[in-house]
Amino acid sequence: MSFVAVSNIAKRYGDAPILERLSLDVEKGEFVTIVGASGCGKSTFLRLLLGQERADRGTIAIEGAPIAPEPGPDRGVVFQKYSVFPHLTVIDNLVLPAEIEASPFFGRLFGGRRRKAREEAEALMEKIGLSHAARRYPAQLSGGMQQRLAIAQALLRKPRILLLDEPFGALDPGTRQDMHVLIEDIWRETAMTIFMVTHDIKEAFKLGTRLLVFDKIRHDPQFPAAYGATVTYDLPLHRKAANAAGEGTGPSPHETADLEATLSMPASPRRERAAPAIGQ
Amino acid sequence: MRLINLRPTRAGAVWLAVLPFAALVAAYVIASQIRLAENPSDKLLPSLATMGQSMWDLAFTPDRRSGDLLFFADTLASLERLFAGLGISAAIALVVGCLAGFFPYARALFAPFVAAFSLIPPITILPILFITLGLGEAAKIGLIVIGTTPAMIRTLAQAVLAIPEEEIVKAQTLGASSWQIIARIFLPQVWPVLIAALRIGLIPAWIFLISAEAIAATEGLGYRIFLVRRYLAMDVILPYVAWITLLAYVTDRCLSFASRRLFPWAHLKGASL
């Protein structure tokens, strides 16, 4: 039995099908990267895994048990924006998970327990390089620092699965490299199962052990919204063994170019022109 | 350099801020002197000295009938009504606004009613309040509450709705219960909005206070103004108007200062007045 089992799920918003006939088995410890054109349901898939929304059909199970119908501490998440709490300083953001866990009524800790939680948060800040910014609010941090904080916060309840929804999409290239190192280290240390949605195909190849491409299989040229998307490519990436050397594990150039051509098209109008018969 | 890129220095900004006030006072003094030169008993534009004398009498000479220092009694009575009214408004707005923001069912229940209720001109309710609650304090405070609460409810509900969904999902993935989300995510972000709503509500609150006092009261700043109006006592009316303005201004500044001190995170972006 696989760790995460997605079987034949479908999701529609109103009349528009977003995902259809999507099945997937993911083993524990895999780093799954998900790419696809805008509006192809990548983020919807993540929301289904998160429990923020429910599939119209099909089931999602973790270790054989259907996922809870609402978000919970077994599945952590980092969004592109708004992942940390703007009214809390860096250290308070990091103390919050412990407070939520230990104090069901007030959601606050006092005295010795508070001191202990703060000490743990300080150690964590040291680790992610935010010690100097402990008393700053998220709005006073750079984008990279905010995302580092968001990732650290998401890990505090020790989730079994980490969901990343374009977490580095708003960062500049240099910062993005640093974040790649950070997330790889975390993945290696915790052996967590990670799902990451990204627009950056190189990032998807670099970080993932498995790359999923979401796209529509069926097309109706008269009514492009008639069908939903599913997994069209499922590539295992055997790069981790070679990764000690650093580079040398990415996609071959033509592979990247090929996929980028697919991805640069919003919901594949290219193929509608090429093969109008499909889906009619 | 373009005019939009020219910024005053600190000292320059102070001078510019003082300028309109100084101009207003100067214009008044000149006009007053012209009128008084023609007719020394003119009542419309009394001199600053006359105004000062009248205010001194109101503030430090006990009233012959009641023995009160009228200026302070008026101020105290008005502020009590104002803050009682605003306090009740804030409490109602906090409860109803947050409920409407948190819970879709509460929103469906309250939103249309609040929207309709907020369109009733509050002054038209004043006679009803006087008839049902009598001419005492309750009616005047009630008018302030009715006049300011709907807008505050809407502001607070809007603020709760504006909290990004991502934050709520994130809190859930950290294991937070509904109550913990309210206590640690929603409420802390609502406080500064409540203060902002109070600051905006201050203006209508003063209007309704003065209106209610003008119609039925035995003391209060609005009562005094409308009482002495019968004698064209501009030497009392003008200082009272200035005093009311000052009180409103100081209240507003205090609230703004409190918000900055207590919720610095809410004031990190952009310039604000």
Side-chain angles (χ1 to χ4, degrees):
Chain A
M1 183 186 58
S2 51
F3 183 58
V4 178
V6 177
S7 74
N8 200 26
I9 56 168
K11 176 75 188 171
R12 51 170 62 223
Y13 292 135
D15 280 341
I18 303 298
L19 295 171
E20 57 184 28
R21 294 190 274 184
L22 197 163
S23 295
L24 189 67
D25 287 297
V26 174
E27 295 309 322
K28 201 173 172 100
E30 281 196 84
F31 194 137
V32 181
T33 50
I34 303 171
V35 295
S38 325
C40 71
K42 308 181 296 274
S43 295
T44 304
F45 179 61
L46 224 54
R47 280 199 291 276
L48 293 176
L49 283 176
L50 192 56
Q52 192 182 349
E53 290 177 15
R54 302 185 71 167
D56 300 326
R57 198 167 346 117
T59 56
I60 302 176
I62 300 177
E63 291 186 317
I67 55 162
E70 57 180 4
D74 60 333
R75 283 153 292 156
V77 69
V78 175
F79 298 105
Q80 184 173 359
K81 281 194 293 188
Y82 309 122
S83 284
V84 290
F85 301 106
H87 60 290
L88 299 176
T89 58
V90 168
I91 187 161
D92 287 340
N93 261 294
L94 293 175
V95 170
L96 181 71
E99 291 185 308
I100 285 173
E101 192 174 6
S103 167
F105 190 70
F106 292 106
R108 282 183 191 282
L109 293 175
F110 303 98
R113 289 161 82 196
R114 177 181 160 81
R115 218 167 20 248
K116 188 167 164 287
R118 286 184 79 89
E119 275 163 17
E120 283 169 15
E122 271 160 22
L124 183 58
M125 282 190 302
E126 189 76 46
K127 211 167 142 194
I128 57 173
L130 286 180
S131 295
H132 63 289
R135 303 182 130 263
R136 281 198 232 160
Y137 290 98
Q140 296 167 307
L141 303 177
S142 70
M145 289 159 88
Q146 279 185 32
Q147 289 308 72
R148 255 183 286 162
L149 176 61
I151 292 170
Q153 190 188 43
L155 295 173
L156 278 167
R157 291 295 301 266
K158 305 204 168 24
R160 291 188 294 172
I161 299 177
L162 183 62
L163 303 163
L164 308 171
D165 194 354
E166 294 181 36
F168 314 135
L171 306 180
D172 62 82
T175 312
R176 204 182 284 206
Q177 295 301 322
D178 296 343
M179 300 301 288
H180 289 167
V181 174
L182 176 74
I183 200 76
E184 280 205 302
D185 285 351
I186 288 170
W187 175 69
R188 211 156 286 160
E189 256 175 54
T190 58
M192 209 168 9
T193 311
I194 299 183
F195 289 83
M196 174 165 130
V197 166
T198 176
H199 269 305
D200 182 345
I201 186 84
K202 292 205 179 72
E203 182 174 271
F205 271 107
K206 179 180 168 192
L207 293 176
T209 57
R210 183 172 176 185
L211 174 78
L212 303 179
V213 180
F214 276 41
D215 202 355
K216 295 179 180 183
I217 297 179
R218 300 185 290 168
H219 281 273
D220 182 342
Q222 265 73 44
F223 184 31
Y227 300 107
T230 188
V231 176
T232 53
Y233 287 82
D234 185 348
L235 308 174
L237 304 171
H238 302 292
R239 48 131 204 157
K240 293 298 166 183
N243 201 46
E247 199 51 43
T249 52
S252 61
H254 73 267
E255 225 175 357
T256 314
D258 225 28
L259 276 169
E260 290 214 35
T262 314
L263 296 173
S264 59
M265 301 283 176
S268 303
R270 175 175 58 96
R271 257 193 309 193
E272 278 162 31
R273 252 180 283 118
I278 297 176
Q280 280 186 328
Chain B
M1 225 167 141
R2 287 180 191 81
L3 208 49
I4 55 165
N5 292 328
L6 290 177
R7 285 161 204 283
T9 60
R10 239 158 187 262
V14 171
W15 280 112
L16 285 172
V18 169
L19 196 63
F21 292 101
L24 183 67
V25 173
Y28 179 86
V29 168
I30 293 168
S32 163
Q33 277 184 348
I34 293 172
R35 281 189 74 101
L36 289 173
E38 272 180 30
N39 173 11
S41 58
D42 177 63
K43 299 198 79 165
L44 281 192
L45 298 180
S47 71
L48 295 182
T50 317
M51 284 196 264
Q53 185 57 49
S54 304
M55 291 313 290
W56 182 270
D57 291 345
L58 277 171
F60 300 112
T61 313
D63 182 49
R64 258 176 292 165
R65 198 179 310 153
S66 64
D68 288 339
L69 298 172
L70 290 179
F71 174 75
F72 294 109
D74 285 343
T75 304
L76 196 66
S78 287
L79 287 182
E80 268 175 16
R81 291 166 190 146
L82 186 81
F83 290 129
L86 278 174
I88 295 171
S89 290
I92 297 174
L94 188 67
V95 173
V96 178
C98 287
L99 285 176
F102 297 153
F103 305 111
Y105 269 92
R107 187 150 63 247
L109 176 68
F110 290 126
F113 181 74
V114 172
F117 194 85
S118 68
L119 292 175
I120 301 173
I123 297 290
T124 59
I125 293 187
L126 189 56
I128 303 174
L129 292 175
F130 280 143
I131 292 167
T132 53
L133 299 177
L135 299 177
E137 297 301 301
K140 294 188 256 304
I141 293 171
L143 182 69
I144 295 174
V145 172
I146 287 171
T148 54
T149 306
M152 285 168 80
I153 289 177
R154 291 169 110 180
T155 309
L156 288 185
Q158 194 64 54
V160 174
L161 287 174
I163 294 174
E165 168 114 35
E166 283 91 336
E167 280 182 34
I168 301 158
V169 172
K170 176 80 178 241
Q172 293 178 63
T173 66
L174 298 178
S177 63
S178 298
W179 165 247
Q180 286 176 324
I181 291 174
I182 289 173
R184 294 302 314 269
I185 313 301
F186 284 134
L187 278 181
Q189 298 195 58
V190 163
W191 296 128
V193 181
L194 182 65
I195 291 191
L198 271 173
R199 288 177 64 194
I200 293 172
L202 214 51
I203 300 154
W206 273 105
I207 295 176
F208 299 130
L209 173 70
I210 303 292
S211 311
E213 287 181 343
I215 293 171
T218 52
E219 56 181 356
L221 297 167
Y223 162 74
R224 193 68 53 200
I225 290 179
F226 278 82
L227 180 74
V228 301
R229 179 186 63 96
R230 298 172 198 164
Y231 318 112
L232 298 179
M234 293 290 268
D235 55 331
V236 172
I237 295 176
L238 288 175
Y240 259 58
V241 171
W243 175 237
I244 290 170
T245 311
L246 183 68
L247 286 176
Y249 179 78
V250 169
T251 316
D252 180 70
R253 287 290 97 185
C254 286
L255 287 172
S256 167
F257 179 75
S259 184
R260 276 163 202 282
R261 280 304 288 272
L262 296 171
F263 316 113
W265 57 270
H267 301 276
L268 292 173
K269 279 189 205 123
S272 67
L273 291 172

PDB file of all heavy atoms in Angstrom, chain B residues 109-137:
ATOM      1  N   LEU B 109     -27.538  36.231   8.436  1.00  0.00           N
ATOM      2  CA  LEU B 109     -28.548  36.731   9.358  1.00  0.00           C
ATOM      3  C   LEU B 109     -28.462  38.249   9.517  1.00  0.00           C
ATOM      4  O   LEU B 109     -29.467  38.953   9.477  1.00  0.00           O
ATOM      5  CB  LEU B 109     -28.350  36.053  10.723  1.00  0.00           C
ATOM      6  CG  LEU B 109     -29.249  36.495  11.877  1.00  0.00           C
ATOM      7  CD1 LEU B 109     -30.693  36.073  11.614  1.00  0.00           C
ATOM      8  CD2 LEU B 109     -28.765  35.896  13.187  1.00  0.00           C
ATOM      9  N   PHE B 110     -27.241  38.775   9.683  1.00  0.00           N
ATOM     10  CA  PHE B 110     -27.086  40.176  10.077  1.00  0.00           C
ATOM     11  C   PHE B 110     -26.918  41.144   8.906  1.00  0.00           C
ATOM     12  O   PHE B 110     -27.394  42.282   8.973  1.00  0.00           O
ATOM     13  CB  PHE B 110     -25.865  40.339  10.989  1.00  0.00           C
ATOM     14  CG  PHE B 110     -26.046  39.738  12.350  1.00  0.00           C
ATOM     15  CD1 PHE B 110     -25.139  38.823  12.852  1.00  0.00           C
ATOM     16  CD2 PHE B 110     -27.132  40.103  13.142  1.00  0.00           C
ATOM     17  CE1 PHE B 110     -25.296  38.280  14.111  1.00  0.00           C
ATOM     18  CE2 PHE B 110     -27.295  39.561  14.400  1.00  0.00           C
ATOM     19  CZ  PHE B 110     -26.381  38.648  14.888  1.00  0.00           C
ATOM     20  N   ALA B 111     -26.204  40.712   7.859  1.00  0.00           N
ATOM     21  CA  ALA B 111     -25.756  41.681   6.858  1.00  0.00           C
ATOM     22  C   ALA B 111     -26.894  42.494   6.239  1.00  0.00           C
ATOM     23  O   ALA B 111     -26.824  43.723   6.208  1.00  0.00           O
ATOM     24  CB  ALA B 111     -24.929  40.976   5.785  1.00  0.00           C
ATOM     25  N   PRO B 112     -27.986  41.839   5.763  1.00  0.00           N
ATOM     26  CA  PRO B 112     -29.038  42.651   5.146  1.00  0.00           C
ATOM     27  C   PRO B 112     -29.702  43.593   6.143  1.00  0.00           C
ATOM     28  O   PRO B 112     -30.014  44.748   5.815  1.00  0.00           O
ATOM     29  CB  PRO B 112     -30.046  41.601   4.641  1.00  0.00           C
ATOM     30  CG  PRO B 112     -29.278  40.333   4.598  1.00  0.00           C
ATOM     31  CD  PRO B 112     -28.282  40.407   5.691  1.00  0.00           C
ATOM     32  N   PHE B 113     -29.881  43.115   7.371  1.00  0.00           N
ATOM     33  CA  PHE B 113     -30.520  43.956   8.375  1.00  0.00           C
ATOM     34  C   PHE B 113     -29.669  45.181   8.695  1.00  0.00           C
ATOM     35  O   PHE B 113     -30.168  46.309   8.737  1.00  0.00           O
ATOM     36  CB  PHE B 113     -30.769  43.143   9.656  1.00  0.00           C
ATOM     37  CG  PHE B 113     -31.440  43.930  10.737  1.00  0.00           C
ATOM     38  CD1 PHE B 113     -32.787  44.236  10.647  1.00  0.00           C
ATOM     39  CD2 PHE B 113     -30.714  44.375  11.826  1.00  0.00           C
ATOM     40  CE1 PHE B 113     -33.405  44.980  11.631  1.00  0.00           C
ATOM     41  CE2 PHE B 113     -31.326  45.124  12.816  1.00  0.00           C
ATOM     42  CZ  PHE B 113     -32.675  45.427  12.724  1.00  0.00           C
ATOM     43  N   VAL B 114     -28.376  44.953   8.881  1.00  0.00           N
ATOM     44  CA  VAL B 114     -27.482  46.072   9.191  1.00  0.00           C
ATOM     45  C   VAL B 114     -27.445  47.057   8.032  1.00  0.00           C
ATOM     46  O   VAL B 114     -27.477  48.270   8.227  1.00  0.00           O
ATOM     47  CB  VAL B 114     -26.067  45.559   9.519  1.00  0.00           C
ATOM     48  CG1 VAL B 114     -25.084  46.707   9.640  1.00  0.00           C
ATOM     49  CG2 VAL B 114     -26.080  44.765  10.810  1.00  0.00           C
ATOM     50  N   ALA B 115     -27.413  46.517   6.807  1.00  0.00           N
ATOM     51  CA  ALA B 115     -27.380  47.396   5.632  1.00  0.00           C
ATOM     52  C   ALA B 115     -28.628  48.268   5.579  1.00  0.00           C
ATOM     53  O   ALA B 115     -28.556  49.472   5.310  1.00  0.00           O
ATOM     54  CB  ALA B 115     -27.257  46.558   4.362  1.00  0.00           C
ATOM     55  N   ALA B 116     -29.799  47.680   5.850  1.00  0.00           N
ATOM     56  CA  ALA B 116     -31.046  48.444   5.826  1.00  0.00           C
ATOM     57  C   ALA B 116     -31.083  49.423   6.998  1.00  0.00           C
ATOM     58  O   ALA B 116     -31.407  50.610   6.827  1.00  0.00           O
ATOM     59  CB  ALA B 116     -32.240  47.491   5.892  1.00  0.00           C
ATOM     60  N   PHE B 117     -30.717  48.936   8.172  1.00  0.00           N
ATOM     61  CA  PHE B 117     -30.785  49.760   9.377  1.00  0.00           C
ATOM     62  C   PHE B 117     -29.881  50.981   9.263  1.00  0.00           C
ATOM     63  O   PHE B 117     -30.223  52.073   9.723  1.00  0.00           O
ATOM     64  CB  PHE B 117     -30.375  48.908  10.577  1.00  0.00           C
ATOM     65  CG  PHE B 117     -30.704  49.526  11.893  1.00  0.00           C
ATOM     66  CD1 PHE B 117     -31.968  49.360  12.452  1.00  0.00           C
ATOM     67  CD2 PHE B 117     -29.765  50.288  12.564  1.00  0.00           C
ATOM     68  CE1 PHE B 117     -32.281  49.938  13.663  1.00  0.00           C
ATOM     69  CE2 PHE B 117     -30.077  50.869  13.783  1.00  0.00           C
ATOM     70  CZ  PHE B 117     -31.336  50.701  14.340  1.00  0.00           C
ATOM     71  N   SER B 118     -28.717  50.793   8.613  1.00  0.00           N
ATOM     72  CA  SER B 118     -27.757  51.887   8.546  1.00  0.00           C
ATOM     73  C   SER B 118     -28.273  53.038   7.685  1.00  0.00           C
ATOM     74  O   SER B 118     -27.731  54.130   7.731  1.00  0.00           O
ATOM     75  CB  SER B 118     -26.427  51.377   7.992  1.00  0.00           C
ATOM     76  OG  SER B 118     -26.574  51.026   6.632  1.00  0.00           O
ATOM     77  N   LEU B 119     -29.308  52.771   6.884  1.00  0.00           N
ATOM     78  CA  LEU B 119     -29.821  53.827   6.000  1.00  0.00           C
ATOM     79  C   LEU B 119     -30.898  54.677   6.672  1.00  0.00           C
ATOM     80  O   LEU B 119     -31.330  55.681   6.115  1.00  0.00           O
ATOM     81  CB  LEU B 119     -30.369  53.206   4.705  1.00  0.00           C
ATOM     82  CG  LEU B 119     -29.262  52.599   3.824  1.00  0.00           C
ATOM     83  CD1 LEU B 119     -29.861  51.901   2.626  1.00  0.00           C
ATOM     84  CD2 LEU B 119     -28.282  53.658   3.386  1.00  0.00           C
ATOM     85  N   ILE B 120     -31.360  54.280   7.855  1.00  0.00           N
ATOM     86  CA  ILE B 120     -32.312  55.126   8.579  1.00  0.00           C
ATOM     87  C   ILE B 120     -31.583  56.379   9.034  1.00  0.00           C
ATOM     88  O   ILE B 120     -30.562  56.274   9.707  1.00  0.00           O
ATOM     89  CB  ILE B 120     -32.845  54.395   9.830  1.00  0.00           C
ATOM     90  CG1 ILE B 120     -33.524  53.092   9.440  1.00  0.00           C
ATOM     91  CG2 ILE B 120     -33.796  55.286  10.599  1.00  0.00           C
ATOM     92  CD1 ILE B 120     -33.916  52.250  10.637  1.00  0.00           C
ATOM     93  N   PRO B 121     -32.087  57.572   8.678  1.00  0.00           N
ATOM     94  CA  PRO B 121     -31.428  58.774   9.207  1.00  0.00           C
ATOM     95  C   PRO B 121     -31.594  58.802  10.729  1.00  0.00           C
ATOM     96  O   PRO B 121     -32.721  58.865  11.215  1.00  0.00           O
ATOM     97  CB  PRO B 121     -32.200  59.918   8.547  1.00  0.00           C
ATOM     98  CG  PRO B 121     -32.888  59.299   7.378  1.00  0.00           C
ATOM     99  CD  PRO B 121     -33.172  57.886   7.766  1.00  0.00           C
ATOM    100  N   PRO B 122     -30.515  58.724  11.495  1.00  0.00           N
ATOM    101  CA  PRO B 122     -30.629  58.568  12.943  1.00  0.00           C
ATOM    102  C   PRO B 122     -31.462  59.652  13.611  1.00  0.00           C
ATOM    103  O   PRO B 122     -32.163  59.390  14.582  1.00  0.00           O
ATOM    104  CB  PRO B 122     -29.181  58.609  13.421  1.00  0.00           C
ATOM    105  CG  PRO B 122     -28.396  58.148  12.256  1.00  0.00           C
ATOM    106  CD  PRO B 122     -29.110  58.668  11.049  1.00  0.00           C
ATOM    107  N   ILE B 123     -31.380  60.894  13.077  1.00  0.00           N
ATOM    108  CA  ILE B 123     -32.103  61.987  13.726  1.00  0.00           C
ATOM    109  C   ILE B 123     -33.607  61.717  13.730  1.00  0.00           C
ATOM    110  O   ILE B 123     -34.328  62.125  14.639  1.00  0.00           O
ATOM    111  CB  ILE B 123     -31.797  63.326  13.005  1.00  0.00           C
ATOM    112  CG1 ILE B 123     -30.308  63.638  13.133  1.00  0.00           C
ATOM    113  CG2 ILE B 123     -32.617  64.448  13.584  1.00  0.00           C
ATOM    114  CD1 ILE B 123     -29.871  64.005  14.535  1.00  0.00           C
ATOM    115  N   THR B 124     -34.087  61.010  12.703  1.00  0.00           N
ATOM    116  CA  THR B 124     -35.533  60.722  12.667  1.00  0.00           C
ATOM    117  C   THR B 124     -35.931  59.770  13.783  1.00  0.00           C
ATOM    118  O   THR B 124     -37.097  59.666  14.136  1.00  0.00           O
ATOM    119  CB  THR B 124     -35.933  60.068  11.322  1.00  0.00           C
ATOM    120  OG1 THR B 124     -35.183  58.849  11.176  1.00  0.00           O
ATOM    121  CG2 THR B 124     -35.633  60.980  10.156  1.00  0.00           C
ATOM    122  N   ILE B 125     -34.952  59.074  14.337  1.00  0.00           N
ATOM    123  CA  ILE B 125     -35.247  58.161  15.438  1.00  0.00           C
ATOM    124  C   ILE B 125     -35.270  58.898  16.767  1.00  0.00           C
ATOM    125  O   ILE B 125     -35.850  58.422  17.742  1.00  0.00           O
ATOM    126  CB  ILE B 125     -34.205  57.019  15.460  1.00  0.00           C
ATOM    127  CG1 ILE B 125     -34.392  56.161  14.222  1.00  0.00           C
ATOM    128  CG2 ILE B 125     -34.323  56.165  16.708  1.00  0.00           C
ATOM    129  CD1 ILE B 125     -33.545  54.929  14.202  1.00  0.00           C
ATOM    130  N   LEU B 126     -34.673  60.093  16.789  1.00  0.00           N
ATOM    131  CA  LEU B 126     -34.552  60.817  18.049  1.00  0.00           C
ATOM    132  C   LEU B 126     -35.904  61.019  18.743  1.00  0.00           C
ATOM    133  O   LEU B 126     -36.016  60.765  19.949  1.00  0.00           O
ATOM    134  CB  LEU B 126     -33.835  62.154  17.817  1.00  0.00           C
ATOM    135  CG  LEU B 126     -33.443  62.916  19.078  1.00  0.00           C
ATOM    136  CD1 LEU B 126     -32.573  62.062  19.992  1.00  0.00           C
ATOM    137  CD2 LEU B 126     -32.705  64.200  18.723  1.00  0.00           C
ATOM    138  N   PRO B 127     -36.946  61.468  18.019  1.00  0.00           N
ATOM    139  CA  PRO B 127     -38.253  61.608  18.700  1.00  0.00           C
ATOM    140  C   PRO B 127     -38.724  60.294  19.312  1.00  0.00           C
ATOM    141  O   PRO B 127     -39.253  60.286  20.424  1.00  0.00           O
ATOM    142  CB  PRO B 127     -39.193  62.036  17.576  1.00  0.00           C
ATOM    143  CG  PRO B 127     -38.325  62.582  16.515  1.00  0.00           C
ATOM    144  CD  PRO B 127     -37.015  61.892  16.621  1.00  0.00           C
ATOM    145  N   ILE B 128     -38.490  59.203  18.584  1.00  0.00           N
ATOM    146  CA  ILE B 128     -38.908  57.897  19.117  1.00  0.00           C
ATOM    147  C   ILE B 128     -38.158  57.612  20.412  1.00  0.00           C
ATOM    148  O   ILE B 128     -38.725  57.140  21.396  1.00  0.00           O
ATOM    149  CB  ILE B 128     -38.612  56.781  18.079  1.00  0.00           C
ATOM    150  CG1 ILE B 128     -39.333  57.100  16.757  1.00  0.00           C
ATOM    151  CG2 ILE B 128     -39.023  55.426  18.618  1.00  0.00           C
ATOM    152  CD1 ILE B 128     -38.988  56.147  15.637  1.00  0.00           C
ATOM    153  N   LEU B 129     -36.858  57.933  20.408  1.00  0.00           N
ATOM    154  CA  LEU B 129     -36.058  57.693  21.615  1.00  0.00           C
ATOM    155  C   LEU B 129     -36.549  58.552  22.770  1.00  0.00           C
ATOM    156  O   LEU B 129     -36.653  58.085  23.903  1.00  0.00           O
ATOM    157  CB  LEU B 129     -34.584  57.986  21.330  1.00  0.00           C
ATOM    158  CG  LEU B 129     -33.875  57.034  20.369  1.00  0.00           C
ATOM    159  CD1 LEU B 129     -32.460  57.517  20.090  1.00  0.00           C
ATOM    160  CD2 LEU B 129     -33.850  55.630  20.947  1.00  0.00           C
ATOM    161  N   PHE B 130     -36.853  59.824  22.475  1.00  0.00           N
ATOM    162  CA  PHE B 130     -37.336  60.710  23.540  1.00  0.00           C
ATOM    163  C   PHE B 130     -38.658  60.207  24.098  1.00  0.00           C
ATOM    164  O   PHE B 130     -38.915  60.264  25.300  1.00  0.00           O
ATOM    165  CB  PHE B 130     -37.481  62.140  23.024  1.00  0.00           C
ATOM    166  CG  PHE B 130     -36.177  62.883  22.969  1.00  0.00           C
ATOM    167  CD1 PHE B 130     -35.896  63.774  21.943  1.00  0.00           C
ATOM    168  CD2 PHE B 130     -35.209  62.694  23.956  1.00  0.00           C
ATOM    169  CE1 PHE B 130     -34.698  64.465  21.904  1.00  0.00           C
ATOM    170  CE2 PHE B 130     -34.001  63.388  23.920  1.00  0.00           C
ATOM    171  CZ  PHE B 130     -33.749  64.269  22.881  1.00  0.00           C
ATOM    172  N   ILE B 131     -39.526  59.719  23.205  1.00  0.00           N
ATOM    173  CA  ILE B 131     -40.842  59.234  23.654  1.00  0.00           C
ATOM    174  C   ILE B 131     -40.678  57.959  24.484  1.00  0.00           C
ATOM    175  O   ILE B 131     -41.275  57.822  25.550  1.00  0.00           O
ATOM    176  CB  ILE B 131     -41.756  58.966  22.437  1.00  0.00           C
ATOM    177  CG1 ILE B 131     -42.109  60.291  21.758  1.00  0.00           C
ATOM    178  CG2 ILE B 131     -43.031  58.223  22.865  1.00  0.00           C
ATOM    179  CD1 ILE B 131     -42.722  60.138  20.392  1.00  0.00           C
ATOM    180  N   THR B 132     -39.834  57.033  23.994  1.00  0.00           N
ATOM    181  CA  THR B 132     -39.760  55.744  24.681  1.00  0.00           C
ATOM    182  C   THR B 132     -38.808  55.771  25.875  1.00  0.00           C
ATOM    183  O   THR B 132     -39.089  55.162  26.900  1.00  0.00           O
ATOM    184  CB  THR B 132     -39.285  54.636  23.715  1.00  0.00           C
ATOM    185  OG1 THR B 132     -38.070  55.072  23.096  1.00  0.00           O
ATOM    186  CG2 THR B 132     -40.326  54.352  22.650  1.00  0.00           C
ATOM    187  N   LEU B 133     -37.683  56.475  25.738  1.00  0.00           N
ATOM    188  CA  LEU B 133     -36.682  56.432  26.808  1.00  0.00           C
ATOM    189  C   LEU B 133     -36.738  57.650  27.718  1.00  0.00           C
ATOM    190  O   LEU B 133     -35.991  57.749  28.679  1.00  0.00           O
ATOM    191  CB  LEU B 133     -35.274  56.322  26.207  1.00  0.00           C
ATOM    192  CG  LEU B 133     -35.001  55.077  25.353  1.00  0.00           C
ATOM    193  CD1 LEU B 133     -33.607  55.129  24.762  1.00  0.00           C
ATOM    194  CD2 LEU B 133     -35.165  53.812  26.185  1.00  0.00           C
ATOM    195  N   GLY B 134     -37.621  58.604  27.394  1.00  0.00           N
ATOM    196  CA  GLY B 134     -37.675  59.820  28.190  1.00  0.00           C
ATOM    197  C   GLY B 134     -36.596  60.789  27.753  1.00  0.00           C
ATOM    198  O   GLY B 134     -35.827  60.516  26.832  1.00  0.00           O
ATOM    199  N   LEU B 135     -36.539  61.932  28.454  1.00  0.00           N
ATOM    200  CA  LEU B 135     -35.621  62.983  28.026  1.00  0.00           C
ATOM    201  C   LEU B 135     -34.252  62.862  28.686  1.00  0.00           C
ATOM    202  O   LEU B 135     -33.427  63.760  28.565  1.00  0.00           O
ATOM    203  CB  LEU B 135     -36.232  64.351  28.331  1.00  0.00           C
ATOM    204  CG  LEU B 135     -37.553  64.620  27.601  1.00  0.00           C
ATOM    205  CD1 LEU B 135     -38.125  65.973  28.006  1.00  0.00           C
ATOM    206  CD2 LEU B 135     -37.344  64.577  26.093  1.00  0.00           C
ATOM    207  N   GLY B 136     -34.003  61.783  29.399  1.00  0.00           N
ATOM    208  CA  GLY B 136     -32.752  61.658  30.163  1.00  0.00           C
ATOM    209  C   GLY B 136     -31.568  61.256  29.319  1.00  0.00           C
ATOM    210  O   GLY B 136     -31.559  61.438  28.087  1.00  0.00           O
ATOM    211  N   GLU B 137     -30.561  60.722  29.985  1.00  0.00           N
ATOM    212  CA  GLU B 137     -29.303  60.370  29.320  1.00  0.00           C
ATOM    213  C   GLU B 137     -29.493  59.240  28.306  1.00  0.00           C
ATOM    214  O   GLU B 137     -28.855  59.217  27.260  1.00  0.00           O
ATOM    215  CB  GLU B 137     -28.264  59.941  30.358  1.00  0.00           C
ATOM    216  CG  GLU B 137     -27.875  61.023  31.355  1.00  0.00           C
ATOM    217  CD  GLU B 137     -27.304  62.241  30.663  1.00  0.00           C
ATOM    218  OE1 GLU B 137     -26.294  62.099  29.964  1.00  0.00           O
ATOM    219  OE2 GLU B 137     -27.891  63.334  30.802  1.00  0.00           O
TER     220      GLU B 137
END
